[in-house]
Amino acid sequence: MRNKVFTLAFVLLALVVPLLATGAAAEEEHVRRTVVVLDPAHGGDDSGVQRESRPAEKALSLELARELQKNLQRNPNLEIILTRNQDKKKSTVDRQEIANGKQAVAFVSLHMFAGDGQASPASCFFYGHFVKDDSLAAQAGAEAAAGVRVIPWDLAQNAMLKQSRKLGAALARSWETAGPDVAAAGYSLQCAPLSLLSGLHCPAVMVEITNPAAGRSQAAGHAYCVQAAQALSRGLETFLGGR
Amino acid sequence: MKVKATAFVLAVLLLGAGFYFFNSCGGRREAGLGTSPGSQEAVLFFASLDGKTYAQKPVALPGAAADLPARIQGLLAAMTAKPSGPTSPSLWPVSLSLRSAYLAKNDTLILDLDPIRPYNQLTGAAGELQVVRSLVRTLTAHFENVRSVKFLINGFEQETLAGHVDITRPLGDAELEP
């Protein structure tokens, strides 16, 4: 009898322990799923904005992305993914696939105007606009009627626009409390029909940062990059905290 | 005598009202496309980088272009002309060359351009948006029957104009509102 009880207890334990372990793993997985995708613009043979001998936009945007990743990774609940970590060209769809496939909670595309050292425009924070496509919407509607929920790739951002605007506003507001070089440049928050944003199924913003220091020296350019990354980290954390 | 004076005053008032109405309804806009050369006066619109405001520049287009593509090419040339001074708005140094233009259904103007030059000298997405906003506003203001513009590059549909702005669908004021 005692043996039977022990055997039963052992069997129950053998069943329960893996279940508990699975639960813990699931929880860990849930924590890990707070993914933020950073997208350094351009790359490879696509240099982006290039002025004379100054660094190309592709190099500056990657530097900014790495700096921002370093800041955000201090939060253990975040997984920060870069769409490229080398000087390689990525298509728009490649970039969208990374964010959509990882079920990112935020996507920030980083662009950097190389600047002419004189009259630089203000930094711009873009969120997408509502894409109207009756034929795609009709197809999705027909599938939905058949019981299949379909999100047309080209219209993926439509459902996220409110959150994207919120993300853009949080990032833009961070400019007000940024370091003096960054804050002095000013900013604008705009809705715009940008190709990259329309296929993203998560809150998404394209940031185009002016860099008045880029034309002066590499050190000044790096210092500006650090200030900008600090401001963007604060903006992202504010957005993620308020979700 | 009194009747004549009243009639004269009324005629003057009617003429004045007619002139005011003509101007307030966009007297410079062309009534149709390719129907008549009309006035060679035009107003060019230049968007600010944040897209909130437009600088207006009245110009007199040289020649009397009778067909639609020639007339649009005249507008593009005026928009990209080297500015005469630091405060004169222009899209220069951007170069826009028209291959052809058509009017499609839903008041959409199809604009087939050569690739925009210099591609990498635009100030990124903001600069590209500025070009698109300026073009669309100028063309929709100039041609009465145009409400949106669909861009083609080298005769083909492209994803973007110069890497950022989505040109797969017609763009009108609603799409370009910041």
Side-chain angles (χ1 to χ4, degrees):
Chain A
M1 180 65 186
R2 187 181 281 180
N3 277 348
K4 274 188 179 170
V5 171
F6 275 124
T7 309
L8 189 62
F10 180 77
V11 169
L12 280 174
L13 269 175
L15 285 171
V16 168
V17 167
L19 280 177
L20 286 174
T22 312
E27 197 162 313
E28 195 182 324
E29 178 67 19
H30 177 72
V31 170
R32 254 195 269 129
R33 281 180 63 187
T34 306
V35 171
V36 172
V37 173
L38 303 178
D39 173 45
H42 309 286
D45 62 2
D46 174 12
S47 305
V49 177
Q50 172 89 67
R51 299 269 169 126
E52 294 156 12
S53 59
R54 290 165 195 156
E57 184 185 4
K58 65 175 182 178
L60 292 167
S61 66
L62 183 56
E63 186 186 349
L64 178 65
R66 285 176 177 155
E67 198 62 40
L68 184 52
Q69 182 185 36
K70 204 165 69 184
N71 291 348
L72 291 169
Q73 269 175 344
R74 291 184 190 129
N75 183 339
N77 296 327
L78 295 179
E79 183 182 352
I80 312 301
I81 295 172
L82 266 58
T83 55
R84 70 174 178 95
N85 210 346
Q86 298 168 54
D87 183 16
K88 272 192 174 172
K89 191 173 184 173
K90 287 268 181 186
S91 72
T92 298
V93 173
D94 286 342
R95 295 169 199 264
Q96 292 166 339
E97 273 176 358
I98 291 170
N100 291 349
K102 291 283 181 183
Q103 296 184 318
V105 297
F107 177 97
V108 182
S109 185
L110 299 162
H111 294 242
M112 212 153 181
F113 168 45
D116 57 10
Q118 293 169 3
S120 296
S123 297
C124 296
F125 297 82
F126 299 106
Y127 60 96
H129 82 125
F130 187 86
V131 179
K132 194 171 180 296
D133 190 318
D134 293 340
S135 63
L136 270 180
Q139 277 179 34
E143 297 292 345
V148 184
R149 186 171 168 255
V150 175
I151 302 167
W153 192 274
D154 288 351
L155 309 183
Q157 185 59 198
N158 281 356
M160 300 288 160
L161 289 178
K162 205 172 163 187
Q163 284 296 306
S164 294
R165 193 185 193 290
K166 206 171 155 188
L167 172 60
L171 293 174
R173 269 199 303 274
S174 73
W175 239 230
E176 291 167 6
T177 54
D181 287 344
V182 173
Y187 69 85
S188 72
L189 176 64
Q190 299 184 43
C191 172
L194 298 176
S195 177
L196 175 65
L197 301 179
S198 58
L200 289 162
H201 194 237
C202 63
V205 167
M206 181 188 283
V207 182
E208 192 165 82
I209 295 170
T210 186
N211 188 351
R216 296 176 203 156
S217 71
Q218 202 176 343
H222 180 71
Y224 186 88
C225 209
V226 169
Q227 278 185 29
Q230 283 169 349
L232 291 174
S233 312
R234 279 198 305 276
L236 261 165
E237 278 159 5
T238 304
F239 170 76
L240 295 170
R243 276 191 318 130
Chain B
M1 185 64 190
K2 203 173 181 184
V3 174
K4 274 186 182 173
T6 311
F8 178 73
V9 168
L10 274 174
V12 167
L13 283 173
L14 276 171
L15 268 173
F19 183 72
Y20 174 77
F21 182 72
F22 177 75
N23 274 330
S24 65
C25 290
R28 281 181 177 157
R29 297 179 88 194
E30 294 183 21
L33 289 171
T35 51
S36 154
S39 167
Q40 285 303 293
E41 284 183 356
V43 179
L44 309 179
F45 290 82
F46 296 92
S48 59
L49 268 178
D50 64 8
K52 287 180 183 160
T53 56
Y54 286 83
Q56 294 186 32
K57 186 179 177 183
V59 290
L61 299 178
D67 63 62
L68 175 67
R71 197 163 302 178
I72 293 173
Q73 184 60 61
L75 286 169
L76 299 188
M79 293 185 82
T80 53
K82 194 171 181 179
S84 52
T87 55
S88 176
S90 171
L91 297 181
W92 188 84
V94 170
S95 165
L96 297 164
S97 178
L98 187 74
R99 287 163 49 90
S100 55
Y102 313 91
L103 186 65
K105 60 181 180 180
N106 300 329
D107 296 337
T108 299
L109 176 68
I110 297 178
L111 214 58
D112 183 7
L113 299 170
D114 280 335
I116 191 167
R117 286 179 295 123
Y119 194 85
N120 280 339
Q121 298 282 316
L122 295 173
T123 55
E128 196 177 323
L129 259 171
Q130 193 176 29
V131 169
V132 173
R133 281 176 172 145
S134 303
L135 280 176
V136 171
R137 177 61 67 91
T138 299
L139 292 168
T140 53
H142 190 73
F143 296 109
E144 192 174 70
N145 297 336
V146 173
R147 292 281 170 271
S148 61
V149 179
K150 163 82 178 151
F151 292 93
L152 301 179
I153 306 292
N154 275 344
F156 293 98
E157 200 170 75
Q158 298 287 327
E159 198 179 315
T160 66
L161 185 69
H164 304 94
V165 179
D166 186 347
I167 55 168
T168 57
R169 294 175 181 80
L171 297 169
D173 277 348
E175 287 74 26
L176 297 169
E177 190 73 31

